[in-house]
């Protein structure tokens, strides 16, 4: 239950799809997972979060995979930019539930970084 609840990981090895929708305790600012089995090959995830950036590193040891990343953003935070280390353009935006979601193709045998740059609304006086 921790895999689905807190980590929000779902795998589809046949289609080479990985969904990562973590719901971490507020005091956690990073997380690293290794050896997630996806169709007989290993995938690693490393997540780092701050007030202005969410960065996910995907270490894909096998064939290409499709990653759907749905981070839990702090209250009031909005994504102003999405950057992918290989220069590709991810599919990104609010999902039907109103949460932000990024879908990106991770190349075979490589590490890919996805960075979400955040903004927060100005506080009134």
């Amino acid at each position: 239950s921790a895999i689905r609840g807190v980590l929000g990981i779902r795998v589809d090895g046949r289609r080479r799809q990985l969904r990562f929708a973590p719901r971490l305790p507020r005091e956690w600012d990073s997380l690293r997972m290794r050896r997630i089995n996806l169709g007989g090959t290993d995938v690693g995830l490393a997540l780092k979060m701050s007030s202005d950036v969410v960065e996910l590193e995907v270490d894909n040891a096998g064939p290409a995979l499709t990653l759907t990343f749905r981070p839990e953003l702090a209250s009031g935070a909005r994504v102003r930019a999405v950057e992918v280390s290989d220069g590709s353009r991810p599919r990104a935006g609010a999902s039907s539930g109103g949460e932000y979601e990024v879908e990106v193709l991770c190349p075979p045998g490589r590490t890919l970084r996805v960075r979400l740059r955040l903004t927060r609304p100005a506080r009134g006086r």
Side-chain angles (χ1 to χ4, degrees):
S1 64
I3 300 286
R4 287 199 177 185
V6 174
L7 300 179
I9 293 177
R10 283 195 268 163
V11 297
D12 182 338
R14 188 173 54 80
R15 292 185 177 148
R16 301 276 313 152
Q17 294 177 345
L18 175 64
R19 179 179 176 78
F20 182 44
R23 298 296 177 253
L24 305 177
R26 291 282 177 215
E27 57 274 0
W28 291 17
D29 63 0
S30 64
L31 172 73
R32 179 177 295 275
M33 294 169 286
R34 295 185 179 125
R35 293 191 237 167
I36 299 166
N37 186 323
L38 183 64
T41 61
D42 287 339
V43 176
L45 300 174
L47 178 65
K48 293 180 186 175
M49 299 173 292
S50 70
S51 62
D52 59 345
V53 175
V54 174
E55 184 171 280
L56 178 63
E57 182 177 286
V58 183
D59 184 20
N60 180 22
L65 68 93
T66 300
L67 170 77
T68 302
F69 178 40
R70 182 185 274 195
E72 183 176 36
L73 302 177
S75 179
R78 299 284 181 255
V79 177
R80 69 175 166 86
V82 178
E83 303 164 356
V84 181
S85 61
D86 70 353
S88 65
R89 293 183 181 253
R91 201 175 77 188
S95 69
S96 59
E99 295 183 23
Y100 199 81
E101 188 171 276
V102 177
E103 186 176 291
V104 63
L105 181 64
C106 300
R110 290 189 38 208
T111 298
L112 185 78
R113 286 175 191 79
V114 179
R115 180 177 289 149
L116 308 180
R117 296 206 179 267
L118 307 176
T119 59
R120 293 179 183 272
R123 291 187 177 192
R125 293 183 190 196

